[in-house]
Amino acid sequence: MRLLVTGGAGFIGSHYVRSLLDGGYGAAPDTRVTVFDKLTYAGNRDNLPAAHDRLDFVRGDLCDGDLLRELLPGHDAIVHFAAESHVDRSVAGGGDFVRTNALGTQVLLEAALHSGVERVVHVSTDEVYGSIDEGAWTEEWPLLPNSPYAASKASSDLIARSYWRTHGLDVSITRCSNNYGPYQHPEKLIPRFVTNLLEGRKVPVYGDGRNRREWLHVDDHCRAIHLVLAKGGAGEIYNVGSGNELENLQLTERVLELCGADASMIEYVEDRKGHDLRYSLDDTKIRERLGYAPQVPFDRGIAETVAWYQDNPMWWKAAKHRADTEQAAGAV
Ligand code: NAD
Ligand code: TDX
């Protein structure tokens, strides 16, 4: 099989590619991977093996239809991770989000349609549902995204579905909860807090810290995506959760403890605009139909993640530097 992975130099995409090439989803000596990635501030070529006989890397933009139509023939399937992924950036300015997430997804799917690609997995998010005070969303829940990020992801999610419904393209969609793990950009909650503490700085908790998220290790998310690629139905949507729901303050306390710090390192800062209170997924469908079950216990996952940032200062310092450089250049 020849697989194209968009966004494969980012946090989740690179985990997926490393696992696949390492045989994490079973030996697949005939699977070749092409990573297609723009290498924005969030992407890093070094997140992938420097050289591998079953890996090709192409730097390119999702919105470049000519390049995609040249590249795609010969590929059997696409796993589509590439996106602008950070809510705070979308609050500061939504243009790149609509361009990459909505338009870029449409350009990719159009190219796929005309290139004989047989299968697509579109990686969506729980944020497309909005915010839920109690209970949990099933896949039938209406989409009520709140941030420009979430709205652009909801757009791409619906565009993906439309290429199945209109053109019969074999597309499945996954909607996952908050991921954590190694190689996550230090703009996101857990790596931001750990790296701030490593630099002797306080951790900025937005608002009163009472917002709740459902945390899933990236390894479990990637396993679910591979399961959907292999066994998911055309036009089907699969929630991917963990059931591990934490208030931001509870999570902050855990991170502080693992870093040997205390509550004096918390700084309460102005709340995120339009800050969603709570996300919670009902993922019965993927568990019952595809046999998915998360495998990484949170206690182990979070301890290993904190240790990874402690052991890899070069990686996160470079990521912070790339983001700062782009910001200074006015690219955000
Ligand atoms: P990330 O920001 O770490 O990586 C995104 C990757 O996409 C980067 O390598 C970047 O260079 C690339 N990219 C951005 N714009 C591009 C463009 N125009 N053309 C080609 N490549 C481009 O994101 P992530 O956290 O790994 O998220 C991956 C996917 O999973 C996203 O679609 C995101 O919405 C979704 N998701 C993320 C989470 C989470 O908690 N991080 C949860 C659920 C769903
Ligand atoms: O410095 C911070 N302080 C803080 O209190 C940051 C960066 C975040 N927060 C809060 C905001 C959220 O309630 O922590 C929570 C988690 O924030 P993020 O890590 O920015 O994630 P979130 O906004 O929940 O979105 C994430 O999950 C869904 C991913 O970034 C998305 O890509 C994914 O789709």
Side-chain angles (χ1 to χ4, degrees):
M1 177 164 77
R2 202 147 165 229
L3 191 62
L4 184 111
V5 178
T6 73
F11 164 48
I12 306 174
S14 71
H15 190 95
Y16 179 71
V17 172
R18 290 191 307 272
S19 302
L20 188 68
L21 294 175
D22 284 351
Y25 311 124
D30 298 331
T31 300
R32 286 195 67 83
V33 179
T34 305
V35 166
F36 181 79
D37 197 297
K38 187 178 175 181
L39 295 182
T40 66
Y41 78 95
N44 183 351
R45 177 64 184 82
D46 294 341
N47 291 350
L48 295 164
H52 193 289
D53 57 357
R54 289 183 289 123
L55 174 67
D56 297 302
F57 183 86
V58 176
R59 186 171 190 178
D61 188 327
L62 280 179
C63 297
D64 187 345
D66 291 343
L67 176 57
L68 284 166
R69 271 192 298 276
E70 230 175 80
L71 183 65
L72 279 176
H75 288 86
D76 304 293
I78 298 174
V79 181
H80 177 35
F81 292 97
E84 287 293 338
S85 71
H86 191 40
V87 174
D88 290 326
R89 284 174 175 259
S90 82
V91 175
D96 283 350
F97 287 75
V98 173
R99 183 180 174 281
T100 285
N101 299 358
L103 179 63
T105 297
Q106 183 272 325
V107 171
L108 175 72
L109 294 173
E110 191 70 29
L113 196 60
H114 297 292
S115 306
V117 172
E118 285 167 15
R119 178 97 180 99
V120 179
V121 175
H122 172 72
V123 180
S124 186
T125 168
D126 58 359
E127 296 199 23
V128 299
Y129 296 115
S131 180
I132 187 164
D133 288 350
E134 50 190 43
W137 295 297
T138 64
E139 290 82 356
E140 279 74 43
W141 215 273
L143 304 193
L144 278 176
N146 292 317
S147 70
Y149 161 70
S152 68
K153 288 295 291 183
S155 306
S156 59
D157 184 310
L158 293 176
I159 289 165
R161 185 180 174 280
S162 80
Y163 271 74
W164 160 69
R165 187 71 175 82
T166 302
H167 298 293
L169 195 62
D170 186 350
V171 183
S172 301
I173 295 167
T174 59
R175 296 182 183 151
C176 187
S177 61
N178 282 60
N179 283 214
Y180 72 97
Y183 296 92
Q184 186 171 32
H185 195 280
E187 65 191 356
K188 306 283 176 19
L189 176 71
I190 292 174
R192 186 180 195 186
F193 284 14
V194 175
T195 59
N196 272 17
L197 292 167
L198 288 170
E199 289 177 319
R201 292 159 55 199
K202 292 194 173 191
V203 300
V205 171
Y206 297 166
D208 61 7
R210 297 285 172 206
N211 307 67
R212 303 179 75 86
R213 297 290 184 267
E214 184 177 348
W215 293 96
L216 181 73
H217 195 277
V218 63
D219 200 47
D220 285 323
H221 183 191
C222 290
R223 201 173 299 109
I225 286 169
H226 199 69
L227 204 54
V228 170
L229 176 68
K231 300 208 282 186
E236 295 288 337
I237 297 163
Y238 300 92
N239 287 344
V240 184
S242 65
N244 177 43
E245 183 179 330
L246 291 172
E247 220 172 51
N248 287 347
L249 268 183
Q250 287 176 298
L251 179 59
T252 303
E253 278 159 18
R254 180 65 73 87
V255 169
L256 287 168
E257 191 187 313
L258 286 165
C259 293
D262 62 29
S264 66
M265 292 304 280
I266 296 177
E267 184 181 12
Y268 289 92
V269 299
E270 190 182 337
D271 208 355
R272 174 184 279 173
K273 273 190 187 171
H275 196 172
D276 286 334
L277 181 65
R278 177 173 176 265
Y279 303 146
S280 179
L281 289 169
D282 178 337
D283 62 3
T284 309
K285 179 175 170 181
I286 190 170
R287 287 176 189 259
E288 289 189 351
R289 294 203 198 163
L290 305 188
Y292 161 77
Q295 293 179 9
V296 182
F298 184 71
D299 285 350
R300 170 159 70 79
I302 190 70
E304 287 176 359
T305 300
V306 169
W308 188 88
Y309 285 94
Q310 287 166 339
D311 292 344
N312 290 279
M314 300 279 276
W315 184 90
W316 57 260
K317 283 182 181 169
K320 281 191 177 190
H321 179 70
R322 268 199 317 279
D324 290 347
T325 309
E326 283 218 5
Q327 198 156 25
V332 175

